[in-house]
Amino acid sequence: GAVVSQHPSWVICKSGTSVKIECRSLDFQATTMFWYRQFPKQSLMLMATSNEGSKATYEQGVEKDKFLINHASLTLSTLTVTSAHPEDSSFYICSARDFAGGTYEQFFGPGTRLTVL
Amino acid sequence: KQEVTQIPAALSVPEGENLVLNCSFTDSAIYNLQWFRQDPGKGLTSLLLIQSSQREQTSGRLNASLDKSSGRSTLYIAASQPGDSATYLCAVRRVGNQFYFGTGTSLTVIP
């Protein structure tokens, strides 16, 4: 299957700093990528849909000025957590959509563990 | 809004047992349903994908069924092994491509 990578796999930062997380589709082009957040012992919640060359679509309750998404190429989307605070500590997972075999399928990255001190 | 529920939330079985995980969803207008496995602190591994027109999919010891009209899916694991211990998530996808994830079932297979 298609491979999606994320970098970094984990990051620790001080409160008030900004952190950038990269999501790459390694062997396919993805016009659409998705960003999810997962708190401990909870399921994944969709944060935003990232479309190449256009603005991201954010889910209700997600602050677009705090979670900046850029999808500048068909293989790369970035999520920047601005002015991070301890409550932003979470597991962030991206997925990329591939159209293969006549159907769309989403492939998920390995996730990025963010800890804000 | 689509709501996805998984029962049980946690399950512990002895090695070798067959088991069934349940997933229910409130809106039957889905594009497909997918079962994932998540190991602690890791991302998602796709196990089985069932299109809305299909009734079931099989892969090795895993069999997933889909009853769209009743809003239910089951994941059957045969002859469970300790390596099967993980959290299992089901997710339904609507035509608009948005995924709704279930709450997960944490499975422990005891050697």
Side-chain angles (χ1 to χ4, degrees), chain A residues 38 43 91 97 104 106 110, chain B residues 38 42-43 93 97 99 101-102:
Chain A
Q38 184 180 33
S43 193
F91 193 54
R97 190 177 73 177
Y104 284 108
Q106 281 192 33
Chain B
Q38 185 177 31
K42 304 290 185 181
R93 221 180 98 206
N97 293 311
F99 260 112
F101 280 87

Side-chain angles (χ1 to χ4, degrees), chain A residues 34 36 38 41-46 59 91 93 95 97 99 102-106 108-111 113, chain B residues 1 6 31-32 34 36 38 40-44 46 49 51 89 93 96-99 101-104:
Chain A
F34 304 87
Y36 296 83
Q38 184 180 33
K41 299 193 182 298
Q42 296 186 24
S43 193
L44 280 75
M45 296 297 295
L46 179 66
E59 295 300 302
F91 193 54
I93 300 179
S95 72
R97 190 177 73 177
F99 186 77
T103 185
Y104 284 108
E105 189 171 349
Q106 281 192 33
F108 287 80
R113 171 78 57 195
Chain B
K1 181 186 173 183
Q6 290 185 244
Y31 185 70
N32 60 36
Q34 201 160 352
F36 295 90
Q38 185 177 31
K42 304 290 185 181
L44 305 180
S46 178
L49 170 68
Q51 300 295 342
L89 296 167
R93 221 180 98 206
N97 293 311
Q98 182 172 350
F99 260 112
F101 280 87
T103 47

Side-chain angles (χ1 to χ4, degrees), chain A:
Chain A
V3 179
V4 176
S5 71
Q6 281 185 241
H7 178 81
S9 56
W10 60 270
V11 57
I12 302 173
C13 70
K14 292 182 179 180
S15 185
T17 60
S18 294
V19 175
K20 180 185 285 188
I21 303 171
E22 293 185 347
C23 176
R24 293 182 185 273
S25 57
L26 298 186
D27 49 3
F28 67 100
Q29 294 183 329
T31 56
T32 304
M33 292 184 175
F34 304 87
W35 287 95
Y36 296 83
R37 180 167 53 185
Q38 184 180 33
F39 291 108
K41 299 193 182 298
Q42 296 186 24
S43 193
L44 280 75
M45 296 297 295
L46 179 66
M47 297 175 65
T49 302
S50 169
N51 296 298
E52 187 267 337
S54 65
K55 291 183 179 180
T57 303
Y58 291 81
E59 295 300 302
Q60 191 173 8
V62 178
E63 301 174 58
K64 62 180 181 180
D65 294 330
K66 180 168 184 62
F67 298 99
L68 301 179
I69 292 174
N70 183 283
H71 194 157
S73 78
L74 288 172
T75 59
L76 173 64
S77 175
T78 60
L79 168 68
T80 300
V81 183
T82 62
S83 187
H85 290 282
E87 58 265 29
D88 298 323
S89 298
S90 187
F91 193 54
Y92 292 87
I93 300 179
C94 74
S95 72
R97 190 177 73 177
D98 186 25
F99 186 77
T103 185
Y104 284 108
E105 189 171 349
Q106 281 192 33
F107 298 92
F108 287 80
T112 296
R113 171 78 57 195
L114 170 63
T115 302
V116 185
L117 303 176

